[in-house]
Amino acid sequence: LADVPVVLSHLGKAYGGGFRAVTDVSFRVERGQVLGLLGPNGAGKTTALRMLMGLIHPTEGEIRVFGHRITPSASVLSRVGAFVEGPGFLPHLSGRDNLELSWAAAGRPSGDADLEAALELAGLGESIERKVKTYSQGMRQRLAVAQAMLGLPDLLVLDEPTNGLDPPQIREMREALRRYAATGRTVVVSSHLLAEVEQTCTHCVVMARGRLVAQGSVTELLSAATSVAVAIDVG
Ligand code: ATP
């Protein structure tokens, strides 16, 4: 399993008070895939991704990342880049300075950031030299994605990176994720829009009320009869 980026087995999460956000979810993600986690609000996507990022603990089942059982241990999580929600950047610093600062603040050696490679993959261009306070929402979100790409992690996990973006910004985000996967690395990304998963992802897992309801390649899912029901539910 050491070569498999993600294996989830019978994953479950009950929050305090006993509310079950995720129930018996199993799937795997292979290298080079862009896996979309699709589902309506409250389906449990964020909960599943936060477990994958090592931010919260499952109450049942397990997650293996490159064969290692995931716990918040640096040895595995150093291979995972995460985008949770637009983090607070320092508005009076340039995009580049913000990224350098966050890398240093994470205690990483300065030479290892592969900063230029991450910037190119994220498609930030020359705007990286501008102050963050001049950035559009789309630029900020791509800066956050570039931050997750620092060090070129083998697995990139992104929770709704296109939330709040307009169609051209969504296209740019898509291109960035595709470029990343084309390097042979792996991307897991959540969305509540079927069309977005269709255009961005190679594979898809559909969740509803905490459970996995469909999975497969995007082409398989779209041709399956269930895709009609899926589209009504989440599209
Ligand atoms: P969204 O797109 O709205 O973020 P989601 O699919 O990501 O939805 P989750 O955020 O994982 O879904 O939430 C799943 C369910 O778990 C929701 O009903 C939510 O209210 C509940 N939940 C999330 N976090 C907590 C928490 N810390 N404590 C209790 N319940 C929670």
Side-chain angles (χ1 to χ4, degrees), residues 50-62:
R50 290 178 73 86
M51 290 192 276
L52 181 54
M53 294 168 187
L55 296 174
I56 56 174
H57 292 290
T59 42
E60 295 95 32
E62 67 166 28

Side-chain angles (χ1 to χ4, degrees), residues 37-224:
L37 195 52
L38 177 67
N41 287 347
K45 307 181 297 295
T46 297
T47 301
L49 290 187
R50 290 178 73 86
M51 290 192 276
L52 181 54
M53 294 168 187
L55 296 174
I56 56 174
H57 292 290
T59 42
E60 295 95 32
E62 67 166 28
I63 300 178
R64 288 188 182 260
V65 172
F66 298 104
H68 296 273
R69 189 170 177 159
I70 200 159
T71 56
S73 83
S75 65
V76 184
L77 291 180
S78 63
R79 298 181 68 182
V80 182
F83 167 96
V84 183
E85 236 170 57
F89 290 113
L90 296 173
H92 297 287
L93 294 184
S94 70
R96 178 189 293 278
D97 288 345
N98 268 281
L99 293 188
E100 283 175 354
L101 199 62
S102 71
W103 185 254
R108 302 294 188 78
S110 57
D112 291 352
D114 286 317
L115 187 63
E116 302 309 323
L119 293 177
E120 196 169 315
L121 288 165
L124 275 160
E126 291 178 359
S127 50
I128 194 70
E129 313 299 347
R130 289 190 352 232
K131 290 183 178 178
V132 166
K133 67 177 180 184
T134 67
Y135 280 19
S136 65
Q137 179 67 16
M139 288 273 307
R140 272 171 207 261
Q141 271 170 238
R142 257 182 308 141
L143 185 64
V145 168
Q147 186 177 50
M149 288 176 177
L150 288 179
L152 306 181
D154 295 313
L155 173 65
L156 192 63
V157 182
L158 308 112
D159 192 7
E160 306 223 18
T162 57
N163 237 2
L165 302 189
D166 60 28
Q169 292 171 334
I170 291 174
R171 265 198 300 282
E172 285 164 5
M173 185 68 79
R174 260 178 218 154
E175 293 308 312
L177 300 189
R178 285 186 184 176
R179 275 194 296 271
Y180 200 78
T183 66
R185 295 180 176 84
T186 305
V187 180
V188 175
V189 55
S190 69
S191 173
H192 58 272
L193 298 173
L194 178 65
E196 198 173 290
V197 167
E198 184 184 343
Q199 289 163 43
T200 312
C201 302
T202 59
H203 292 73
C204 177
V205 163
V206 185
M207 287 180 71
R209 292 174 299 280
R211 293 181 181 271
L212 187 153
V213 293
Q215 65 175 314
S217 73
V218 166
T219 9
E220 274 164 17
L221 280 182
L222 289 174
S223 59

